[in-house]
Amino acid sequence: MAAPAFLLLGIFLVLPFLGAIIMSFFRLQLNSPRAPKFVGLEQYARLFTDPDISSTFFHSLANNFTFAAVVVPVQTLLALGLAILINRKLRGMAVFRTVFFMPLVFPLALVAVIWRLIFARDENGLLNAVLSALSGGAIASHDWLGSASTAMAAIIIMSVWQSVSFQMIILLGALQSVPQDLYEAASIDRASKFSQLIHVTIPGIRNTLIFVALLTTIFSLRLFDQVYLLDQSGSINIESTQTVMYQVITTGYDLNNIGQGSAMAVVFLAIVAAVAIVQRRLIRQDGGS
């Protein structure tokens, strides 16, 4: 019965990963007349000892963890709050659920265009125009994506806005599975709404919360699309926002260094797997499962 699952796992996960490991041992360029040259562990050694490569790699890795450190708690808590909010039985709630879920179905290219207009550097940018109007012109226009101090924050806001509805839908399903008689018993005991949240809701959806936190962590660490799309428009401070996945793609395809890009991808996958295992152990489910 599990054979189809293992087959798909092998085709879409194991084989590409093995391919990346093999390519990382070669000096390989696309469309090059030169045959691939076996260089052993040289690509990995350069990743940790060559300043031109290692400094950018570790800087990108730091950007990855900065992004994840903010997005994981913020997005999880925001998704939980939205799920609780739209879990009420009120007239027209289906409309609100559709509106909250809508950002997830937008193509990421469209999301990038929308937020590029919001964060536009001149006075015509939506955010600058709103701040100027609210302050009577006292707040000057700011280059939100081009400034090193605000570029990462802008990416975080954009990412949370686009992705929070996915976690919200998962948590909404978990909330609807919590037995209502527990809330009725808590109400009889005169427990406040906050007390019901802490002692009934959170324990009732604990496993789903763990799953959402793990999923959000992995999604956060693989940040690439938003940065790449905004970088292609030439409007973002790439030094303060580039991630490891961005460096993997640009090294492999823009610089045509497939071997070095593969080595970066293998090391990064090992780091992400280690983070997921540690996080899983720290917040493991009851019974050690």
Side-chain angles (χ1 to χ4, degrees), residues 62-188:
N63 285 340
N64 267 112
F65 281 102
T66 300
F67 180 84
V70 177
V71 166
V72 173
V74 169
Q75 190 162 307
T76 303
L77 292 176
L78 186 58
L80 178 61
L82 289 174
I84 293 174
L85 184 65
I86 66 173
N87 192 37
R88 300 177 180 181
K89 296 179 180 178
L90 298 176
R91 180 177 298 177
M93 190 53 72
V95 176
F96 287 105
R97 291 178 182 178
T98 303
V99 171
F100 283 125
F101 189 71
M102 194 173 294
L104 189 63
V105 302
F106 287 165
L108 197 54
L110 176 60
V111 173
V113 170
I114 293 172
W115 283 93
R116 194 177 61 193
L117 295 175
I118 294 174
F119 290 129
R121 69 185 66 177
D122 54 23
E123 64 276 5
N124 294 324
L126 183 59
L127 182 56
N128 282 332
V130 170
L131 291 176
S132 178
L134 293 176
S135 64
I139 300 178
S141 298
H142 181 72
D143 188 359
W144 300 98
L145 291 172
S147 171
S149 60
T150 56
M152 178 57 81
I155 292 291
I156 288 172
I157 293 172
M158 169 182 163
S159 301
V160 170
W161 178 85
Q162 198 266 336
S163 303
V164 69
S165 53
F166 178 64
Q167 284 84 350
M168 179 195 71
I169 291 297
I170 297 175
L171 291 173
L172 179 62
L175 286 174
Q176 293 176 345
S177 67
V178 179
Q180 289 300 310
D181 54 354
L182 294 179
Y183 291 105
E184 294 171 0
S187 299
I188 293 174

Side-chain angles (χ1 to χ4, degrees), residues 259-286:
Q260 190 65 68
S262 299
M264 291 178 185
V266 171
V267 171
F268 185 58
L269 181 60
I271 293 172
V272 173
V275 170
I277 292 172
V278 170
Q279 188 183 33
R280 180 69 180 82
R281 287 184 177 277
L282 289 176
I283 54 177
R284 61 186 175 184
Q285 301 175 16
D286 292 335

